[in-house]
Amino acid sequence: MNAPDPHLAPASAAQLIAAFACDFDAGRLNENERSLCARSLADSFGVALGGRHEHAALAALDYLRAAGLLLPPTSPPPAASLWGRTERAAPEIAAWWNGIAGHVLDYDDVTPPLRGHPSIVLWPALLALAESRGLPAARLAPAFAVGMEVICKLARGIAVEHYARGWHSTASIGALGAAVACGHLLGLDAVRIGHAIGLAVAQAAGTRENVGTEAKSFQAGHANAAGVRAACLAEAGFEAGPHALDGPHGYVALYAHGEDAAGMLADIGCAPLELSRAGLDVKQYPMCYATHRALDGLLALREQHGIGLAEVAWMQVRTSRGALVPLVHPHPRSGLEGKFSMQYAMAAGLADGAVRLTSFTDAAVQRPEVQAFFSRVETDEAPGPVSPRWAELELRLHDGRTLRIRVDTLHGSSQKPASDSELAAKLDDCLRWGRCAGSGQALLRRCLQLSDHAGDGGDAAALVHELQQLAISGDTP
């Protein structure tokens, strides 16, 4: 990124982001970063296929149908695909629906600085826009990297307090990253990307009160639609305030505590990129990430000692500060509520020896022996720093034994990444749940072609068509 002229007035936060996004070159991505982009695309698309028959996705589809917003399967560009379906829609509509389908299972990847899910607020927007415009698939990875950089830089500056105040950071920060990523994809100049940022601020929203409900997935979908809409409006010449991010009445003042926005962006685009620095954590369990360290520990104890629900008299889960905040359902009654419950995570892990998509039917959560176990699970946050994250488990067994374990490094995290075979197995779980006959290995293999070389990957529309065939051609009732 070009250094600012010291004789000019300080650049606004939006101008700093816009200059980075406009100047970013695909050649800056190394082989590992390209692979991360490709794997995140496979994860996002596969999880969305798994979510395509969920009630939230079907209700959203009914809404689009009633509003006359669905297009026939043969509709030419600028229509875009609804993932795993034959219907098409305008890009911002497709991005909205695909974001809902991709987030409703809460199985999509995360990044620690955001305290949320970056890929599911980037890929639906980028694929819909690239498909509808017939853009080269090679432009997708750098656009994703740009969006990831913006999301993580903003998150490092404000996410802890932003989240604590009740914002659903996946959506409320993600919408800004989506707009910038789409602006880069379209090749907008810095002025127009600056306007896109202001237009994204005008739409940024999402509350944690919707966690554990279908509206959480709506918020992710909305962030995608907002990103597409903001970039396309800016492309058309629509303008926004230059200080929508950092002005006295701007985003940082309203959504956070007026932190120094320019300061948090001072190293934007500097090596290492956030794609490498923050990384992407592939979720191993289809529930809130706040449960995953405890689940890793519990399943290790279960395998080592051969214990189940009947053997455990009492247990405590103690975590680093702030880790339990999203877990708002200590006594869940539905599959969706179970995704945000430490008590259910522990009960399901002990009862079944695994936590998969089948763990989150209403019937699975309502099992009498599982419901009865909730009162045996205590949770506690330790004082101290928010990070690094950790979880400690203590289990007291009916036979008098006490078992303990601590988990610091999470399997699937950027520090201990899932292998390609493990990711493919997760995608298989999603495809089976979504009643698709395609294989996770085939989905991952096609996405990994994006990481081969900067010029490979073909046309984005052809890429989407190939990914769609994994679902539609093998659709099972």
Side-chain angles (χ1 to χ4, degrees):
M1 189 175 72
N2 295 331
D5 186 333
H7 300 293
L8 299 178
S12 71
Q15 288 170 333
L16 290 172
I17 293 173
F20 152 72
C22 185
D23 291 348
F24 188 79
D25 183 81
R28 292 196 54 197
L29 295 177
N30 60 39
E31 181 179 352
N32 182 63
E33 289 164 342
R34 288 187 172 279
S35 178
L36 286 172
C37 292
R39 282 165 54 96
S40 74
L41 172 57
D43 188 77
S44 301
F45 199 92
V47 171
L49 293 184
R52 67 183 181 144
H53 294 304
E54 296 298 300
H55 180 265
L58 295 178
L61 194 71
D62 287 342
Y63 160 76
L64 295 178
R65 187 176 292 113
L69 295 172
L70 293 178
L71 300 173
T74 56
S75 298
S81 300
L82 304 189
W83 297 350
R85 301 199 61 88
T86 58
E87 298 94 338
R88 292 164 68 79
E92 70 181 63
I93 300 301
W96 176 78
W97 190 86
N98 294 335
I100 290 173
H103 195 51
V104 69
L105 295 176
D106 214 86
Y107 210 1
D108 44 309
D109 66 22
V110 303
T111 192
L114 180 62
R115 305 199 68 171
H117 307 255
S119 296
I120 205 55
V121 292
L122 292 173
W123 281 121
L126 290 171
L127 271 192
L129 200 50
E131 179 190 7
S132 70
R133 300 289 185 98
L135 299 176
R139 291 171 66 171
L140 291 167
F144 179 85
V146 164
M148 180 77 174
E149 188 78 4
V150 172
I151 286 172
C152 289
K153 291 303 183 192
L154 291 174
R156 288 187 189 281
I158 69 170
V160 172
E161 290 301 322
H162 180 80
Y163 193 84
R165 292 182 67 181
W167 292 104
H168 176 208
S169 54
T170 294
S172 51
I173 295 177
L176 308 185
V180 178
C182 288
H184 176 84
L185 180 73
L186 293 175
L188 301 187
D189 61 27
V191 172
R192 281 179 166 79
I193 292 176
H195 291 315
I197 292 168
L199 291 165
V201 169
Q203 304 172 78
T207 170
R208 279 178 38 223
E209 287 294 333
N210 282 327
V211 169
T213 75
E214 293 176 340
K216 182 173 185 280
S217 64
F218 169 88
Q219 292 171 178
H222 172 73
N224 281 281
V228 172
R229 190 180 301 121
C232 291
L233 280 169
E235 181 186 38
F238 210 106
E239 298 181 351
H243 291 280
L245 264 183
D246 57 357
H249 306 294
Y251 178 89
V252 175
L254 296 174
Y255 290 66
H257 290 293
E259 291 87 346
D260 177 13
M264 69 181 75
L265 297 165
D267 62 347
I268 191 168
C270 295
L273 294 173
E274 290 289 356
L275 196 54
S276 292
R277 181 186 176 195
L280 291 165
D281 295 0
V282 174
K283 294 183 75 170
Q284 301 298 294
Y285 314 109
M287 65 185 308
C288 182
Y289 207 47
T291 65
H292 285 213
R293 282 181 176 80
L295 273 170
D296 273 2
L298 181 79
L299 294 174
L301 290 176
R302 188 185 190 279
E303 182 177 4
Q304 182 179 356
H305 298 280
I307 57 174
L309 283 176
E311 285 72 40
V312 179
W314 171 90
M315 67 175 295
Q316 182 187 58
V317 180
R318 186 172 173 83
T319 72
S320 50
R321 182 170 65 86
L324 301 176
V325 170
L327 302 177
V328 294
H329 292 293
H331 298 94
R333 296 292 303 173
S334 68
L336 192 53
E337 289 180 353
K339 288 177 178 288
F340 300 91
S341 172
M342 182 66 81
Q343 288 74 12
Y344 181 65
M346 299 297 95
L350 284 169
D352 306 327
V355 176
R356 301 187 180 94
L357 287 166
T358 51
S359 304
F360 295 96
T361 63
D362 291 350
V365 175
Q366 292 168 11
R367 288 174 286 177
E369 68 276 19
V370 166
Q371 291 281 319
F373 189 78
F374 294 161
S375 62
R376 296 185 233 168
V377 181
E378 293 186 7
T379 60
D380 180 44
E381 289 184 3
V386 170
S387 61
R389 296 288 192 188
W390 53 265
E392 294 178 344
L393 276 67
E394 179 180 339
L395 283 68
R396 296 178 189 168
L397 307 186
H398 286 295
D399 64 10
R401 288 181 294 162
T402 297
L403 307 178
R404 295 184 178 88
I405 193 170
R406 177 182 170 111
V407 177
D408 292 286
T409 303
L410 188 59
H411 187 64
S413 68
S414 56
Q415 293 79 31
K416 191 178 179 181
S419 66
D420 282 353
S421 62
E422 288 172 326
L423 177 53
K426 171 186 174 176
L427 298 177
D428 278 332
D429 187 31
C430 293
L431 294 173
R432 285 193 300 269
W433 184 257
R435 305 198 293 273
C436 305
S439 76
Q441 185 60 49
L443 172 57
L444 179 58
R445 184 169 55 246
R446 179 60 185 93
C447 290
L448 284 173
Q449 291 179 22
L450 287 178
S451 67
D452 291 343
H453 298 286
D456 289 349
D459 178 273
L463 167 65
V464 174
H465 175 76
E466 291 178 41
L467 297 179
Q468 287 282 80
Q469 295 311 300
L470 293 171
I472 298 171
S473 64
D475 214 353
T476 58

